[in-house]
Amino acid sequence: MSKIKLENLQKKYGKVTALDDLALEINDKELIVLLGPSGCGKTTTLNCIAGIEEPTSGSIFFDDREVTDLPSHARNVALVFQSALLYPHLTARDNIRMSLRISKISKEEMEKRVNTTAKMLGIEPLLDKLPFHMSGGERQRVATAKAIVRNPSVFLMDEPLSSLDAALRESLRAEITVLQKNLGITMVFVTHDQVEAMTMGDRIAVMADGKLQQVGTPDDIYNNPVNTFVAGFVGSPPMNFFKGEIKKHNNDYVFEHPRFNVKLSKEMTGRIKESTDKKSVTIGVRPQHMTLSGTQKEGALKGKIYAVERLGKETVVIVQYGDETRVKAIVTPPFDMKMGDTIYSLPQTEHIFLFDSSTNMNVKLN
């Protein structure tokens, strides 16, 4: 298997910079997820690792051996794309065999590998079927078998689940994770779906505008977002943000917003520097940490219920204040208020994130 190192990787298409000085180390046998919105550079990164794209500058190493200039076939990588790339006129068995066509193994060894891989992925009943006789999930399993039958050192997956229905995506993401651990293979998985990233990755590399924003375990990314982009992108529903100032009242620090104010927790107050007084900041609060009430509370944000989304185990309440600004809160059923009702919301002080409004970076308070 392989450790991968990307060193100051840059990729330009004319005047457009797709990757901007990207530096990332991927551990041997690790499943790392490249997460970000469309156009952030995650697929370009994957293609550079695969040898499909040539970086404008920078270096790529597999196990300390530079492969930047090596063609794709010389890197021993396997790729699975969003659309299962299968030959429509060949059976699943023959599609899988095609990956071994340039290898120098015997027919007996080839059949052994095909059958072993098919058993591993549970696709033995599909081996004699043509692709148009299979479901989308079955085709994706065959495409995965086609990729891993060569025993690659690096396994690359580019949004392989995005075209499948929700139930099938949930099933296959667990299967892929188990497969990666059983094979002990280095895997780079590209997705824009933060649920996939959180449930699958040993680590997540969050990208935006061709730049790496943060790398860490799912818990690190969720609980310690480095900036407002990461905080807002990871989490469903996304984090709520409010711009205001921190001011000192007697011995307390208070976040003051034009429409509400929040006294900061004792734990946070104990770490605030004097220089933070009157500093312009943005607070971030996840929906599950917004407290709602039908009765007025001191310092609370007054708004009207814009919509109620009942999801069974939880209810998402969307509160609108002002002309366009909306806040999302998650509450436990039953929730009896309805659209148009006046409601008061307040962040739970112990769960507030603080960001510098000028840089959008998480405020590190010592």
Side-chain angles (χ1 to χ4, degrees), residues 65-115:
R65 178 175 69 102
E66 186 168 1
V67 299
T68 313
D69 298 324
L70 286 181
S72 184
H73 66 81
R75 299 190 187 192
N76 193 26
V77 298
L79 292 96
V80 176
F81 298 97
Q82 177 178 345
S83 299
L85 300 181
L86 302 176
Y87 295 101
H89 62 290
L90 297 179
T91 64
R93 185 188 302 278
D94 288 334
N95 265 287
I96 299 170
R97 280 178 183 152
M98 288 294 287
S99 291
L100 300 171
R101 68 188 184 281
I102 61 172
S103 62
K104 297 181 180 180
I105 63 176
S106 65
K107 288 185 178 180
E108 291 77 12
E109 176 62 20
M110 185 181 294
E111 288 307 305
K112 181 180 177 181
R113 282 203 199 179
V114 170
N115 291 330

Side-chain angles (χ1 to χ4, degrees), residues 52-308:
I52 296 173
E53 296 273 6
E54 182 179 350
T56 305
S57 62
S59 303
I60 303 169
F61 297 87
F62 284 9
D63 287 334
D64 301 320
R65 178 175 69 102
E66 186 168 1
V67 299
T68 313
D69 298 324
L70 286 181
S72 184
H73 66 81
R75 299 190 187 192
N76 193 26
V77 298
L79 292 96
V80 176
F81 298 97
Q82 177 178 345
S83 299
L85 300 181
L86 302 176
Y87 295 101
H89 62 290
L90 297 179
T91 64
R93 185 188 302 278
D94 288 334
N95 265 287
I96 299 170
R97 280 178 183 152
M98 288 294 287
S99 291
L100 300 171
R101 68 188 184 281
I102 61 172
S103 62
K104 297 181 180 180
I105 63 176
S106 65
K107 288 185 178 180
E108 291 77 12
E109 176 62 20
M110 185 181 294
E111 288 307 305
K112 181 180 177 181
R113 282 203 199 179
V114 170
N115 291 330
T116 299
T117 304
K119 183 176 182 180
M120 185 186 307
L121 289 167
I123 59 170
E124 293 164 293
L126 304 177
L127 287 177
D128 296 319
K129 287 186 176 183
L130 293 170
F132 68 85
H133 288 146
M134 305 176 198
S135 67
E138 289 171 340
R139 286 193 294 271
Q140 201 59 275
R141 285 186 178 92
V142 174
T144 302
K146 185 179 175 183
I148 68 173
V149 74
R150 294 189 295 105
N151 297 329
S153 58
V154 177
F155 200 7
L156 309 173
M157 306 193 84
D158 189 6
E159 306 214 36
L161 309 181
S162 60
S163 62
L164 306 178
D165 64 67
L168 193 52
R169 284 201 307 271
E170 185 175 345
S171 172
L172 282 183
R173 72 184 183 221
E175 290 182 21
I176 289 170
T177 305
V178 171
L179 176 67
Q180 185 268 336
K181 298 306 176 193
N182 289 341
L183 292 174
I185 194 171
T186 305
M187 180 181 287
V188 184
F189 190 100
V190 164
T191 184
H192 64 274
D193 186 329
Q194 52 96 16
V195 175
E196 283 182 11
M198 293 290 289
T199 55
M200 296 180 68
D202 295 318
R203 288 189 303 154
I204 300 171
V206 184
M207 298 181 66
D209 300 323
K211 294 182 179 181
L212 192 62
Q213 301 295 309
Q214 186 174 359
V215 183
T217 65
D219 285 344
D220 287 338
I221 297 292
Y222 187 82
N223 294 316
N224 300 293
V226 70
N227 56 30
T228 53
F229 175 82
V230 176
F233 195 79
V234 178
S236 181
M239 185 179 287
N240 300 300
F241 295 105
F242 307 92
K243 286 187 178 182
E245 291 184 338
I246 292 178
K247 293 185 179 180
K248 193 173 183 179
H249 295 273
N250 298 322
N251 293 321
D252 295 325
Y253 283 91
V254 177
F255 171 79
E256 291 192 355
H257 180 272
R259 291 176 175 269
F260 71 101
N261 59 73
V262 183
K263 185 173 77 171
L264 301 181
S265 67
K266 290 182 179 180
E267 189 273 336
M268 186 173 289
T269 301
R271 294 186 285 118
I272 293 179
K273 298 177 180 178
E274 287 296 325
S275 60
T276 347
D277 189 31
K278 298 184 181 179
K279 185 175 182 180
S280 177
V281 297
T282 298
I283 65 168
V285 189
R286 297 204 181 276
Q288 64 269 31
H289 299 140
M290 293 292 298
T291 299
L292 299 182
S293 175
T295 57
Q296 186 171 0
K297 290 184 177 294
E298 183 180 355
L301 176 64
K302 180 181 178 180
K304 289 187 178 295
I305 296 178
Y306 176 80
V308 179

Side-chain angles (χ1 to χ4, degrees), residues 26-32 180 185-187 202-203:
I26 301 168
N27 300 319
D28 183 30
K29 301 179 182 179
E30 178 178 39
L31 196 169
I32 191 164
Q180 185 268 336
I185 194 171
T186 305
M187 180 181 287
D202 295 318
R203 288 189 303 154

